[in-house]
């Protein structure tokens, strides 16, 4: 992992920060938000300049860095530093580059890169969430013992790819790919809510934590193919006989609001997860998402945490029913830029960049 001293040294040589990210996932929102806060922007793309930004002039990066493959990015670190880049991680950025290469990247990065090790290993993630005291789906250690529906998933942010439901041991054996690390969770029946938070170690007003403040900037639900539409063809059991199995590949996002009485619980969960992160590894800085299922007993079960901007926030480029109550027109991308700007102005960049 790059040391804090090295990052401090690099930042000392910066005049104007440039917000840089990989051209995918939530990049439109990040570039748009950066511009709103007066930053220059840099898009990192593979092979050639992506044409689709021409369709969105207000979110088009000012410059592009074209690389042959994501794995080559570490070799471009010096170039990025010469441009004054601060890398803004998102799910695809970290997944394409790989967690290890990302934490080793010698470019200042928004947020605390130590979080990656805690998020990408599902056992460590579980330890963190249980230390925080939030409810999670039960973990099943022994596949032989599957006697009720379970959910099997692999490590990393795969947008649901490869995950499957098993109702017994035979189902499990039929679908599992044992060459990759996986976990088995109780399948929770309920409604899914993906809660978008922003933790600011610099914040002084609002929902206060032991250090800094917490905001909720939006809530979405993911559209997942083919599970969300397969009911139209009949029962899953019947479809299995035809060789059609449920899959959970994220294809889009739908805006939702929580029933208001769930909001205090949501804030408490966000608070506990941040407080635990402060104790365990110095804090999860900036945007994060609690991926939850609410049961008919109105209990949240957190099945995953994403410790950076999630694609569901793309719904709220012009603000959400929650962010509007904090500041009009505040997207998560813009909120990241705002935090960087505040840190720059108060000489506290090392609190939000690592
Ligand atoms: P991400 O890109 O968010 O990291 P992923 O590939 O890690 O996605 P998950 O987000 O953990 O996968 O799960 C994908 C989907 O599977 C969820 O959106 C949800 O529909 C379903 N799911 C996950 N865990 C459970 C569970 N314990 N019970 C019921 N459904 C679940």
């Amino acid at each position: 992992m790059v040391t804090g001293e090295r990052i401090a040294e690099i930042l000392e040589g910066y005049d104007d920060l440039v917000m840089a990210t990989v051209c995918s996932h939530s990049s439109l929102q990040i570039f748009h938000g950066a511009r709103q806060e007066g930053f220059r922007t840099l898009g990192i793309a593979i092979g050639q300049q992506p044409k689709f930004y021409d369709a969105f002039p207000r979110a088009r990066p000012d410059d592009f860095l074209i690389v042959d493959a994501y794995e080559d990015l570490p070799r471009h670190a010096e170039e990025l530093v010469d441009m004054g880049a601060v890398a803004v991680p998102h799910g695809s950025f970290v997944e394409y580059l790989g967690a290890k290469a990302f934490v080793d990247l010698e470019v200042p990065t928004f947020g605390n890169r130590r979080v990656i090790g805690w998020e990408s290993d599902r056992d460590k993630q579980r330890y963190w969430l249980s230390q925080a005291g939030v409810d999670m789906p039960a973990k099943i250690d022994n596949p032989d013992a599957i006697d009720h529906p379970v959910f099997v998933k692999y490590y990393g942010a795969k947008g649901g790819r490869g995950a499957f439901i098993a109702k017994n041991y035979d189902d499990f054996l039929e679908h599992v790919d044992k060459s990759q690390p996986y976990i088995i969770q109780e399948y929770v029946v309920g409604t899914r809510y993906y809660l978008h938070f922003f933790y600011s170690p610099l914040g002084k007003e609002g929902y206060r934590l032991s250090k800094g403040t917490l905001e909720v900037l939006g809530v979405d639900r993911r559209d997942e193919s083919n599970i969300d539409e397969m009911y139209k063809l009949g029962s899953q059991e019947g479809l299995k006989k035809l060789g059609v199995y449920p899959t959970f590949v994220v294809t889009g996002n739908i805006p939702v609001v929580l029933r208001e009485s769930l909001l205090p619980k949501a804030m408490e969960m966000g608070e506990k997860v941040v407080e635990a992160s402060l104790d365990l590894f110095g804090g999860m800085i900036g945007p994060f998402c609690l991926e939850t299922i609410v049961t008919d007993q109105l209990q949240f079960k957190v099945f995953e945490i994403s410790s950076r901007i999630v694609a569901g926030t793309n719904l709220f480029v012009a603000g959400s029913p929650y962010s509007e109550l904090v500041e009009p027109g505040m997207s998560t991308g813009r909120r990241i830029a705002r935090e960087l700007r505040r840190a720059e102005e108060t000489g506290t960049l090392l609190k939000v960049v690592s």
Side-chain angles (χ1 to χ4, degrees):
M1 176 158 358
V2 187
T3 63
E5 291 76 43
R6 175 73 190 121
I7 296 299
E9 192 185 14
I10 295 174
L11 286 173
E12 265 176 31
Y14 277 14
D15 288 327
D16 292 322
L17 302 189
V18 170
M19 286 179 61
T21 200
V22 162
C23 291
S24 173
H25 190 272
S26 42
S27 64
L28 287 168
Q29 188 198 152
I30 293 170
F31 296 137
H32 179 245
R35 276 185 178 213
Q36 287 176 303
E37 295 298 312
F39 286 106
R40 279 191 75 77
T41 51
L42 176 79
I44 301 164
I46 301 292
Q48 59 183 359
Q49 200 167 303
K51 188 173 172 202
F52 80 94
Y53 287 100
D54 295 342
F56 307 105
R58 295 173 68 204
R60 192 177 188 282
D62 295 302
D63 297 296
F64 286 93
L65 172 71
I66 308 298
V67 297
D68 291 336
Y70 288 113
E71 304 86 71
D72 288 344
L73 201 56
R75 284 200 280 282
H76 292 270
E78 223 177 288
E79 213 174 320
L80 285 162
V81 166
D82 287 345
M83 294 179 202
V86 171
V88 179
H90 54 57
S92 304
F93 195 158
V94 177
E95 188 64 20
Y96 296 161
L97 188 60
K100 164 106 183 58
F102 187 84
V103 294
D104 288 339
L105 192 66
E106 280 212 22
V107 178
T109 303
F110 183 76
N112 177 359
R113 38 180 117 197
R114 291 185 65 202
V115 74
I116 308 260
W118 284 85
E119 182 202 14
S120 55
D121 176 327
R122 294 224 190 233
D123 285 326
K124 283 181 88 172
Q125 184 181 125
R126 199 169 178 88
Y127 178 75
W128 168 17
L129 293 174
S130 57
Q131 287 298 103
V134 298
D135 253 359
M136 280 175 287
K139 181 174 173 240
I140 287 92
D141 290 316
N142 181 4
D144 285 359
I146 299 174
D147 59 1
H148 57 282
V150 298
F151 198 76
V152 185
K153 51 192 162 180
Y154 301 96
Y155 284 25
K158 307 240 178 298
R161 195 169 292 278
F164 64 94
I165 298 171
K167 297 198 180 106
N168 51 47
Y169 187 47
D170 287 344
D171 264 1
F172 169 80
L173 285 180
E174 191 180 334
H175 297 287
V176 72
D177 170 2
K178 287 189 178 166
S179 69
Q180 306 181 49
Y182 60 85
I183 56 154
I184 310 174
Q185 284 184 349
E186 150 204 18
Y187 188 90
V188 181
V189 184
T191 39
R192 289 170 298 126
Y193 295 98
Y194 299 76
L195 316 173
H196 318 150
F197 290 98
F198 191 96
Y199 167 60
S200 166
L202 310 178
K204 292 200 168 37
E205 277 162 33
Y207 190 92
R208 302 195 57 157
L209 307 192
S210 63
K211 230 191 258 177
T213 52
L214 183 68
E215 290 149 45
V216 63
L217 295 180
V219 185
D220 79 296
R221 171 172 306 154
R222 295 181 185 169
D223 249 349
E224 295 174 334
S225 179
N226 56 22
I227 183 85
D228 289 349
E229 294 292 330
M230 73 186 312
Y231 70 92
K232 289 179 182 164
L233 283 174
S235 78
Q236 282 185 22
E237 289 313 315
L239 289 170
K240 252 187 188 175
K241 292 189 189 118
L242 302 172
V244 180
Y245 296 93
T247 51
F248 297 82
V249 178
V250 180
T251 54
N253 303 82
I254 309 163
V256 280
V257 287
L258 289 176
R259 123 184 215 164
E260 201 161 298
S261 58
L262 288 172
L263 262 183
K265 288 189 193 171
M267 292 306 292
E268 270 166 38
M269 285 193 306
E271 174 170 358
K272 288 192 211 166
V273 168
V274 173
E275 294 292 359
S277 78
L278 287 165
D279 292 343
L280 291 171
F281 53 87
M284 167 178 54
I285 313 299
F288 68 97
C289 176
L290 293 183
E291 305 183 8
T292 72
I293 298 173
V294 179
T295 67
D296 56 4
Q297 299 305 304
L298 298 178
Q299 297 295 329
F300 278 102
K301 298 258 184 179
V302 179
F303 62 87
E304 167 143 8
I305 181 167
S306 291
S307 58
R308 66 193 64 78
I309 186 169
V310 288
T313 62
N314 290 336
L315 288 160
F316 306 121
V317 166
S320 79
Y322 300 108
S323 68
E324 281 299 287
L325 307 178
V326 183
E327 179 174 332
M330 183 56 75
S331 69
T332 297
R334 184 173 187 183
R335 187 64 190 81
I336 294 171
R338 174 70 61 85
E339 193 75 355
L340 271 174
R341 188 59 86 206
R342 261 190 207 156
E344 213 185 7
E345 285 169 0
T346 52
T348 52
L349 267 178
L350 284 170
K351 286 196 172 169
V352 301
V353 170
S354 67

